[in-house]
Amino acid sequence: MNQARQPIRSGMGRSTPDRIFVQGRDLVQDVIGKLNLGDMAYLEMTGRLPDKHQSRVFNAILVTLVEHGMTPMAIATRLVYLGAPESLQSAVAAGLCGMGTTFAGTAEGAARMLQAAWDGDGNQDADTLARDVVADFRKRGLSIPGIGHNLHKPRDPRTARLFEVAREEGYAGRYVELMTSIGLHAEAAYGKPLPVNATGAIGALCCELGFSWKAARGVAVIGRAVGLVGHLVEEQGNPIAREIWLRTEEETSCQDETSADIGR
Amino acid sequence: MNQARQPIRSGMGRSTPDRIFVQGRDLVQDVIGKLNLGDMAYLEMTGRLPDKHQSRVFNAILVTLVEHGMTPMAIATRLVYLGAPESLQSAVAAGLCGMGTTFAGTAEGAARMLQAAWDGDGNQDADTLARDVVADFRKRGLSIPGIGHNLHKPRDPRTARLFEVAREEGYAGRYVELMTSIGLHAEAAYGKPLPVNATGAIGALCCELGFSWKAARGVAVIGRAVGLVGHLVEEQGNPIAREIWLRTEEETSCQDETSADIGR
Amino acid sequence: MNQARQPIRSGMGRSTPDRIFVQGRDLVQDVIGKLNLGDMAYLEMTGRLPDKHQSRVFNAILVTLVEHGMTPMAIATRLVYLGAPESLQSAVAAGLCGMGTTFAGTAEGAARMLQAAWDGDGNQDADTLARDVVADFRKRGLSIPGIGHNLHKPRDPRTARLFEVAREEGYAGRYVELMTSIGLHAEAAYGKPLPVNATGAIGALCCELGFSWKAARGVAVIGRAVGLVGHLVEEQGNPIAREIWLRTEEETSCQDETSADIGR
Amino acid sequence: MNQARQPIRSGMGRSTPDRIFVQGRDLVQDVIGKLNLGDMAYLEMTGRLPDKHQSRVFNAILVTLVEHGMTPMAIATRLVYLGAPESLQSAVAAGLCGMGTTFAGTAEGAARMLQAAWDGDGNQDADTLARDVVADFRKRGLSIPGIGHNLHKPRDPRTARLFEVAREEGYAGRYVELMTSIGLHAEAAYGKPLPVNATGAIGALCCELGFSWKAARGVAVIGRAVGLVGHLVEEQGNPIAREIWLRTEEETSCQDETSADIGR
């Protein structure tokens, strides 16, 4: 196993006694007091500073992702904090672990779908691509990422707003067009309201900003980390985790002791 | 255990078919396209929108916390991503778990120290309080949180900049004064450079903005989550985790098989 | 920072094409088919194989720690699995994060207390040490780890059984004596039932087996990891996480939108 | 959303003041001092006590999974512990998060493949099924789970031992036969050594014991949790995480500050 070694390189940051560089920028001169957190996230993820148009679109994406009320992840974060209040960071980590395929894969999936469609055949128009995408998902029996919502119908109000911001900043291009068109074709094909939802809109805007679909989940993680910290600050002043625990424990304890076959 | 039940309450967010409320604000009308991510974090943690002064100070804190180069947490995040590339969120979670007492407790500790000092006796001046704080930590043999840095000396350049931003926005009050004074008394007491470091400055500014010391670690978690996502985006394009793993495995594998007493 | 480098050493395991060594043992010849999981854990944590007495005591400790019903950690694990069913490992990880000071620090704390007491003055008898320990905790206003239980009183049935197993195997020595004596002095001092609970018994037995108090939390983590996997297998066949989520979300959503001051 | 509510049921465990039931068993009378940890894991995952044959096979699986030397997960666990030594449980959690598709999905994948093959057509013999499975994976360009190893070739020594234990206990049935046959057909089809590796053997034995493929990853998580605790005990006595960190940081810091385009 005595193989030739690869050098280990990184451009994230480095320090000297009197200066700190982040992504090639001087942290003290160029970042602190000048960038907001969303712009800093853009710098971290792209190596470039956003212009004011990119800044507004990217911050719009991020703030949309922060808070979704009492999600399973938020409840898990609060329960873990109850057990380990000395490790706030681990409670946030526990909640983040739940951002998997059920709730959080869809922005990523939408971005992937859009990039695959445009990369596959640049000569086609959005309407034709959209029709093919819908037909393909339908044939494979898969649900289309970024389409439909069980509460927000017939329209997801976040989508209209996100696309409006993108238009105002010059970032409502071919990915927004394709995502919108996929929504229309899906509604026609399935004969029911299937609006482009917030994750579909965010997937499209991540593409417009030039992010790869693999980075889209990272954008979602940033937003949700902010939200989970918010839940813990509320939990500090208004603790509810203990009550959720006690109710659940009480209800499951009413059973007799011979119930080991549940779930088998 | 059939106890009377407490209601479960939360003001984080709720939705109707056509509207979404976050912290009592309309997400579509008041948040998307209007707030940057730092302002949204402020809203989540306080229930209030920041004014422009609070926004600049809070964003300055947050961007300072994002990137610290190749920390143990960043390396751990990359290694976990190597094992589970389908779960980017879990790789960020793994890195966050390492934000414990060694590296990240100090902003929290500094805020706690400052709040305890001012809460203890509001009639004393900062200089007297600082002298007492330094003497107390010294007597108990504990290091003073927020003071000293092994690389950035005799001055931590982030501290001067953070305090400058705070002064410009009218938020360099008694906590900044006390933290600065603690640094001076510590240098005099120990006879060596003990500058207020970035975590000391951030602890003081969290106090100035009205955060409880318990929330200070949450602020650090938000910043670091952004940074860890940044590391994963770099890892996607420039993978180094495998090399770190292979080097470590190779070096530890050169030992003979009878070495089970290492670390016992 | 061009410092001289330390070698990186480990005796955990290494492999050649046809052999695998774990803790200096041949995995194929000496471990598979010969050791049970508890004995393997003992080997991993000590570098030595347990004799049959150590094996029975250590397995008794471990199985006691596996299952505690619907704890906050178990609920969190199930909620995270709901969000990320493709990452069972992350759901277990999320639950483990909750094994902090509230629920899991006590075996560690009891072991630390017992080791400190005997290390402090080997010439004293257990009764005198116990009296001093109880007086010391009382003076400092701290609760004594490993003592008292809100449900199992006046006796924790696990303690009697664990100490019985230890006596049968010749491992009920001075730490068991001291822990028992601390329980009696505590009951006398506070005038109420304060039985040695399971974590107190486990802390004492970890000491008897020669584990440092720092390793005691590791023993608890092993047991609980088994239990959390068990909860996920039940959740696969009998899912309850969605119901816990929906009830909580529904109850917190009945509030009006101007409730952002909860917990502030 | 005022929907009718489902009851929340669980058979994992419950307590009365003087008794504790786990999986319908009395913890004090039937478990402590009688079961080893592997048997307890079997009880937790199936609701049944293993007989002595099942016990030996299941413990053989578990101990095989514990220790794999300095894996990315083990290194990540050590790095997180360096940052948060007060939260040993979170360091184990961080390492577990890395048990994803790269390293740990294969036992699960092998079990899934074997169950799908036998469930699909019970009338075919193992040899025919194996040929079809290999051809199917080949056609789809996917690697076959549980087959091949970059170090252990031409044979993985763990496989022979695990199958030997299974034969001795009467658990080397049709899943072992099919897995073995898949290995032979794969070697013939690809013209190179493709031995059934340890995860393939474990996948087959999980099937023999009646576990669903979804539970197979849980078995792996249990084993690995034990191993990661072992690494932390070694790290407590022989710390290496700091050295891994400092080497990596030093190497990545030699670059100039304008290197923000790495990985973009």
Side-chain angles (χ1 to χ4, degrees):
Chain A
M1 222 192 294
N2 208 319
Q3 40 201 295
R5 284 291 159 231
Q6 304 290 325
I8 298 175
R9 311 277 302 181
S10 170
M12 300 305 285
R14 68 183 191 85
S15 299
T16 66
D18 60 352
R19 297 184 74 183
I20 293 136
F21 297 94
V22 174
Q23 301 287 338
R25 258 77 189 181
D26 186 300
L27 178 69
V28 166
Q29 290 178 23
D30 303 333
V31 176
I32 299 175
K34 295 189 177 163
L35 298 193
N36 64 57
L37 183 63
D39 294 351
M40 183 70 187
Y42 189 96
L43 175 60
E44 279 279 292
M45 294 184 72
T46 67
R48 299 185 309 276
L49 288 172
D51 63 28
K52 70 175 183 175
H53 308 291
Q54 294 162 332
S55 170
R56 187 153 174 259
V57 174
F58 192 53
N59 275 292
I61 293 171
L62 288 166
V63 300
T64 304
L65 289 159
V66 166
E67 181 57 63
H68 293 73
M70 207 55 77
T71 57
M73 289 85 102
I75 304 170
T77 284
R78 288 169 180 256
L79 287 163
V80 168
Y81 189 64
L82 172 64
E86 74 283 5
S87 299
L88 183 143
Q89 72 279 2
S90 299
V92 175
L96 287 183
C97 283
M99 290 188 63
T101 51
T102 307
F103 299 110
T106 45
E108 178 186 75
R112 187 176 197 172
M113 171 183 73
L114 298 172
Q115 289 177 9
W118 277 119
D119 290 357
D121 187 351
N123 292 323
Q124 286 193 287
D125 62 291
D127 188 67
T128 307
L129 281 175
R131 196 194 54 209
D132 293 351
V133 165
V134 170
D136 178 57
F137 274 86
R138 232 190 152 185
K139 194 181 64 185
R140 291 187 291 152
L142 299 174
S143 61
I144 303 171
I147 294 285
H149 200 282
N150 63 348
L151 175 63
H152 299 305
K153 50 191 174 188
R155 291 284 161 258
D156 186 327
R158 298 165 294 186
T159 300
R161 178 62 177 147
L162 284 164
F163 285 173
E164 179 185 45
V165 170
R167 270 193 305 276
E168 290 169 1
E169 305 302 333
Y171 276 89
R174 61 180 189 164
Y175 295 102
V176 169
E177 187 187 1
L178 178 57
M179 192 72 230
T180 305
S181 196
I182 287 172
L184 296 173
H185 278 283
E187 294 198 333
Y190 290 91
K192 62 176 179 178
L194 286 171
V196 176
N197 60 36
T199 62
I202 286 167
L205 295 190
C206 284
C207 296
E208 296 287 350
L209 289 172
F211 287 96
S212 94
W213 64 265
K214 283 193 180 182
R217 194 179 294 200
V219 177
V221 167
I222 289 172
R224 194 55 59 92
V226 173
L228 293 175
V229 170
H231 276 266
L232 289 178
V233 174
E234 194 192 60
E235 180 77 16
Q236 289 171 347
N238 174 50
I240 63 171
R242 183 173 293 273
E243 179 64 25
I244 295 169
W245 163 41
L246 292 176
R247 290 187 192 183
T248 307
E249 189 185 50
E250 184 181 315
E251 185 168 342
T252 55
S253 293
C254 331
Q255 300 158 230
D256 70 41
E257 64 269 30
T258 58
S259 51
D261 57 348
I262 288 178
R264 314 299 179 187
Chain B
M1 222 191 292
N2 208 318
Q3 41 200 292
R5 285 290 160 232
Q6 304 290 323
I8 298 175
R9 312 278 300 182
S10 170
M12 301 305 286
R14 68 182 192 85
S15 300
T16 65
D18 59 352
R19 297 184 74 184
I20 294 137
F21 296 95
V22 174
Q23 300 288 340
R25 258 78 189 181
D26 186 299
L27 178 68
V28 166
Q29 289 177 24
D30 303 334
V31 176
I32 299 174
K34 295 191 176 160
L35 298 193
N36 65 56
L37 183 62
D39 293 351
M40 183 71 187
Y42 189 95
L43 174 61
E44 279 280 292
M45 294 185 72
T46 68
R48 298 185 309 275
L49 289 171
D51 63 28
K52 69 176 184 174
H53 308 291
Q54 293 162 333
S55 170
R56 187 154 174 260
V57 172
F58 193 53
N59 275 292
I61 292 172
L62 287 166
V63 300
T64 304
L65 289 159
V66 167
E67 182 56 64
H68 292 73
M70 207 55 77
T71 58
M73 289 85 101
I75 304 170
T77 284
R78 289 168 179 256
L79 287 162
V80 168
Y81 189 64
L82 171 63
E86 74 283 6
S87 298
L88 184 144
Q89 72 279 2
S90 299
V92 175
L96 287 183
C97 283
M99 291 187 62
T101 50
T102 307
F103 299 110
T106 46
E108 178 185 76
R112 187 176 196 171
M113 169 183 75
L114 297 172
Q115 290 177 8
W118 276 119
D119 290 357
D121 187 351
N123 291 324
Q124 286 192 290
D125 62 291
D127 188 68
T128 307
L129 281 175
R131 197 194 53 208
D132 292 351
V133 165
V134 170
D136 178 56
F137 273 84
R138 230 187 153 187
K139 194 180 66 187
R140 292 186 290 151
L142 300 173
S143 62
I144 303 170
I147 294 285
H149 199 283
N150 63 349
L151 175 63
H152 298 305
K153 50 192 172 187
R155 291 286 162 255
D156 186 327
R158 298 165 294 187
T159 300
R161 178 61 178 146
L162 285 163
F163 285 175
E164 180 185 45
V165 170
R167 269 193 306 276
E168 289 169 2
E169 305 301 333
Y171 276 89
R174 62 181 188 163
Y175 295 102
V176 170
E177 186 188 2
L178 179 56
M179 192 72 230
T180 305
S181 196
I182 287 172
L184 297 173
H185 277 283
E187 294 198 333
Y190 290 90
K192 61 177 179 179
L194 286 170
V196 176
N197 60 37
T199 62
I202 286 167
L205 294 191
C206 283
C207 296
E208 296 288 349
L209 288 173
F211 288 96
S212 93
W213 64 265
K214 283 191 179 182
R217 194 179 294 199
V219 176
V221 167
I222 289 172
R224 194 55 60 91
V226 174
L228 293 175
V229 170
H231 276 267
L232 289 179
V233 175
E234 194 193 59
E235 181 77 17
Q236 290 171 347
N238 174 50
I240 63 171
R242 183 173 291 272
E243 179 65 25
I244 295 169
W245 164 41
L246 292 176
R247 289 187 193 183
T248 306
E249 189 184 50
E250 183 180 317
E251 184 167 342
T252 56
S253 292
C254 332
Q255 300 158 231
D256 69 42
E257 65 270 30
T258 58
S259 51
D261 56 347
I262 287 177
R264 315 298 179 188
Chain C
M1 221 190 294
N2 207 318
Q3 41 201 292
R5 283 291 159 233
Q6 304 289 325
I8 298 175
R9 311 278 301 180
S10 169
M12 300 305 286
R14 68 183 190 86
S15 300
T16 66
D18 59 354
R19 297 185 73 183
I20 294 137
F21 297 95
V22 174
Q23 300 288 338
R25 259 78 188 180
D26 185 301
L27 178 68
V28 166
Q29 291 178 22
D30 303 334
V31 176
I32 299 174
K34 296 191 176 161
L35 298 193
N36 65 56
L37 184 62
D39 294 352
M40 183 70 187
Y42 189 95
L43 174 61
E44 278 281 291
M45 294 183 72
T46 68
R48 297 185 311 274
L49 288 171
D51 63 28
K52 69 175 184 174
H53 308 291
Q54 293 161 334
S55 170
R56 186 152 174 260
V57 173
F58 192 52
N59 275 292
I61 292 172
L62 288 166
V63 298
T64 303
L65 288 160
V66 166
E67 182 55 64
H68 292 73
M70 207 53 79
T71 57
M73 290 84 102
I75 304 171
T77 284
R78 288 168 180 257
L79 288 162
V80 168
Y81 189 65
L82 172 64
E86 74 283 6
S87 299
L88 184 144
Q89 71 279 3
S90 299
V92 175
L96 286 183
C97 283
M99 291 188 61
T101 50
T102 308
F103 299 110
T106 45
E108 178 185 75
R112 187 176 196 172
M113 170 183 75
L114 298 172
Q115 290 177 8
W118 277 120
D119 291 357
D121 186 350
N123 292 324
Q124 287 193 287
D125 62 292
D127 188 68
T128 307
L129 281 175
R131 197 194 55 208
D132 292 352
V133 165
V134 170
D136 178 56
F137 273 85
R138 229 187 154 188
K139 195 180 66 185
R140 292 187 291 151
L142 300 173
S143 61
I144 303 171
I147 294 286
H149 199 283
N150 63 350
L151 175 62
H152 298 305
K153 50 192 173 188
R155 291 285 161 256
D156 186 327
R158 298 165 293 186
T159 300
R161 177 64 178 145
L162 285 164
F163 285 173
E164 180 185 44
V165 170
R167 270 194 306 276
E168 290 169 2
E169 305 302 333
Y171 276 89
R174 62 180 188 165
Y175 294 104
V176 170
E177 186 188 1
L178 178 58
M179 192 73 230
T180 305
S181 196
I182 287 171
L184 296 174
H185 277 284
E187 294 197 334
Y190 289 91
K192 60 176 179 180
L194 286 171
V196 176
N197 60 36
T199 61
I202 286 167
L205 295 191
C206 283
C207 296
E208 296 287 348
L209 289 172
F211 287 97
S212 94
W213 64 265
K214 283 192 179 181
R217 193 179 294 200
V219 177
V221 167
I222 288 173
R224 193 55 61 92
V226 174
L228 293 174
V229 170
H231 276 267
L232 288 179
V233 175
E234 194 192 59
E235 180 77 16
Q236 289 172 347
N238 174 51
I240 63 172
R242 184 173 292 271
E243 180 64 26
I244 295 169
W245 164 41
L246 291 176
R247 289 187 193 184
T248 306
E249 189 185 50
E250 183 181 316
E251 185 168 341
T252 55
S253 292
C254 332
Q255 300 159 230
D256 71 41
E257 65 271 28
T258 58
S259 50
D261 57 348
I262 287 178
R264 315 297 180 187
Chain D
M1 222 191 294
N2 208 320
Q3 41 201 294
R5 284 291 160 232
Q6 305 289 324
I8 298 175
R9 312 276 302 180
S10 170
M12 300 306 286
R14 67 181 191 86
S15 300
T16 66
D18 59 354
R19 296 184 74 184
I20 294 137
F21 297 96
V22 174
Q23 300 287 339
R25 258 77 189 181
D26 186 301
L27 178 69
V28 166
Q29 289 177 24
D30 303 334
V31 176
I32 300 175
K34 295 190 177 161
L35 298 192
N36 64 56
L37 182 63
D39 294 351
M40 182 71 187
Y42 189 96
L43 175 62
E44 278 280 290
M45 294 183 73
T46 67
R48 299 184 310 275
L49 289 171
D51 64 28
K52 69 177 183 173
H53 308 292
Q54 293 162 332
S55 169
R56 186 150 174 262
V57 173
F58 192 53
N59 275 292
I61 292 171
L62 288 165
V63 300
T64 304
L65 289 159
V66 167
E67 180 57 62
H68 292 73
M70 207 55 78
T71 57
M73 290 84 102
I75 304 171
T77 284
R78 289 169 179 256
L79 287 163
V80 168
Y81 189 64
L82 172 64
E86 74 284 6
S87 300
L88 184 143
Q89 71 279 2
S90 299
V92 175
L96 287 183
C97 284
M99 290 188 63
T101 51
T102 308
F103 300 110
T106 45
E108 177 186 74
R112 187 177 196 171
M113 171 183 73
L114 297 172
Q115 290 177 8
W118 277 119
D119 290 357
D121 187 350
N123 292 324
Q124 287 194 285
D125 62 291
D127 188 67
T128 308
L129 281 175
R131 196 195 54 207
D132 292 353
V133 165
V134 170
D136 178 56
F137 274 85
R138 225 182 159 193
K139 194 180 66 186
R140 292 186 291 151
L142 299 174
S143 61
I144 303 171
I147 294 286
H149 200 283
N150 63 349
L151 175 63
H152 298 305
K153 49 190 173 187
R155 292 285 162 255
D156 186 327
R158 298 165 293 187
T159 300
R161 177 63 178 147
L162 284 163
F163 284 174
E164 180 185 45
V165 170
R167 270 193 306 274
E168 290 169 1
E169 305 302 333
Y171 275 90
R174 62 180 188 163
Y175 295 103
V176 169
E177 186 188 2
L178 179 57
M179 192 72 230
T180 305
S181 196
I182 287 172
L184 296 174
H185 277 285
E187 294 197 335
Y190 290 91
K192 60 176 178 179
L194 285 171
V196 176
N197 59 37
T199 62
I202 286 167
L205 295 190
C206 284
C207 295
E208 296 287 349
L209 290 172
F211 288 96
S212 93
W213 65 266
K214 283 192 180 182
R217 195 179 293 201
V219 177
V221 167
I222 289 173
R224 195 54 61 92
V226 174
L228 293 175
V229 170
H231 276 266
L232 289 179
V233 175
E234 193 191 60
E235 180 77 15
Q236 289 172 347
N238 174 50
I240 63 171
R242 185 174 291 274
E243 179 65 25
I244 295 169
W245 163 42
L246 292 176
R247 289 187 193 183
T248 307
E249 189 185 49
E250 184 180 315
E251 185 168 342
T252 56
S253 292
C254 330
Q255 301 158 231
D256 70 41
E257 65 270 28
T258 58
S259 50
D261 56 349
I262 288 178
R264 314 298 178 186

